[in-house]
């Protein structure tokens, strides 16, 4: 994970311009990533070839970076989710940031990894089967690392991944 912007021109860091059609494609596919090209074209009121060309352009420009399945972790036996704040030790920080991120992002319990500025260096969103597995995860994969100064675990009661979060009843 290279967070350096060294050698990049200011143009590289600018967000690509999206017209109304591009923005609508992004919204439609964010809601349903399995939408067929024909369905996409129908929603947009354009020819399938136009929809395909616009989608390909969004992918090539890096606006759309992938298509993912939204998984109900409970159905996989991992119904307990948590957000874990991780603070790294100040010594050798640049190397420890990269090493830590590479080490945790491949763990099967990890759903998402966030590298932050603020009190925590990282937030990990994890899913495990129960509190014993949660404890084991924190002790084995976090506290045991010499680069980790502290962790703070918050249990997730409810989780909505969609772009407009549903209300919490």
């Amino acid at each position: 994970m290279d967070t350096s912007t060294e050698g990049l021109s200011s143009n590289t860091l600018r967000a690509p311009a999206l017209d109304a059609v591009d923005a609508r494609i992004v919204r439609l596919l964010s809601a349903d990533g399995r939408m067929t090209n024909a369905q996409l074209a129908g929603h947009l009121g354009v020819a399938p070839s136009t929809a395909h060309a616009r989608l390909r352009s969004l992918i090539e420009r890096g606006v759309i970076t992938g298509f993912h399945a939204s998984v109900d972790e409970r159905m996989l036996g991992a119904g307990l989710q948590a957000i874990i704040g991780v603070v790294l030790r100040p010594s050798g920080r640049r190397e420890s940031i990269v090493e830590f991120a590479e080490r945790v992002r491949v763990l099967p319990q990890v759903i998402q990894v966030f590298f932050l500025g603020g009190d925590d260096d990282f937030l990990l969103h994890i899913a495990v089967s129960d509190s014993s597995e949660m404890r084991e995860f924190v002790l084995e994969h976090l506290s045991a690392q010499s680069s980790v100064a502290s962790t703070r675990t918050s249990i997730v009661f409810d989780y909505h991944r969609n772009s407009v979060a549903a209300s919490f009843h």
Side-chain angles (χ1 to χ4, degrees):
M1 176 166 103
D2 182 14
T3 58
S4 164
T5 57
E6 196 172 301
L8 296 177
S9 71
S10 59
N11 290 340
T12 307
L13 300 177
R14 287 192 190 136
L18 297 183
D19 64 14
V21 174
D22 286 344
R24 191 143 183 244
I25 291 170
V26 170
R27 279 194 308 276
L28 288 166
L29 290 177
S30 292
D32 181 5
R34 293 187 61 179
M35 183 178 296
T36 66
N37 189 61
Q39 290 170 322
L40 183 61
H43 284 290
L44 297 171
V46 300
S49 59
T50 301
H52 181 73
R54 297 297 286 259
L55 175 57
R56 177 156 309 292
S57 173
L58 288 167
I59 293 168
E60 288 170 356
R61 292 186 289 158
V63 175
I64 295 178
T65 59
F67 298 89
H68 311 278
S70 181
V71 177
D72 185 342
E73 300 294 336
R74 294 172 298 182
M75 300 301 285
L76 303 176
L80 180 61
Q81 294 186 34
I83 303 294
I84 303 174
V86 179
V87 177
L88 300 180
R89 296 188 192 285
S91 61
R93 207 153 159 74
R94 184 178 197 119
E95 294 78 20
S96 63
I97 287 170
V98 172
E99 289 172 13
F100 179 83
E102 289 175 352
R103 192 173 300 131
V104 297
R105 70 181 175 86
V106 298
L107 296 172
Q109 301 92 333
V110 175
I111 298 171
Q112 298 178 91
V113 176
F114 301 92
F115 174 47
L116 309 169
D119 292 338
D120 294 319
D121 294 308
F122 287 91
L123 284 182
L124 307 179
H125 178 190
I126 69 166
V128 293
S129 60
D130 56 28
S131 61
S132 295
E133 187 180 352
M134 175 94 50
R135 180 180 183 276
E136 182 180 321
F137 179 88
V138 171
L139 292 175
E140 184 177 317
H141 298 293
L142 303 177
S143 298
Q145 290 190 35
S146 61
S147 63
V148 173
S150 66
T151 63
R152 186 185 71 249
T153 303
S154 299
I155 302 299
V156 174
F157 292 132
D158 206 352
Y159 169 64
H160 300 281
R161 185 176 181 159
N162 52 339
S163 59
V164 179
S167 63
F168 290 95
H169 326 262

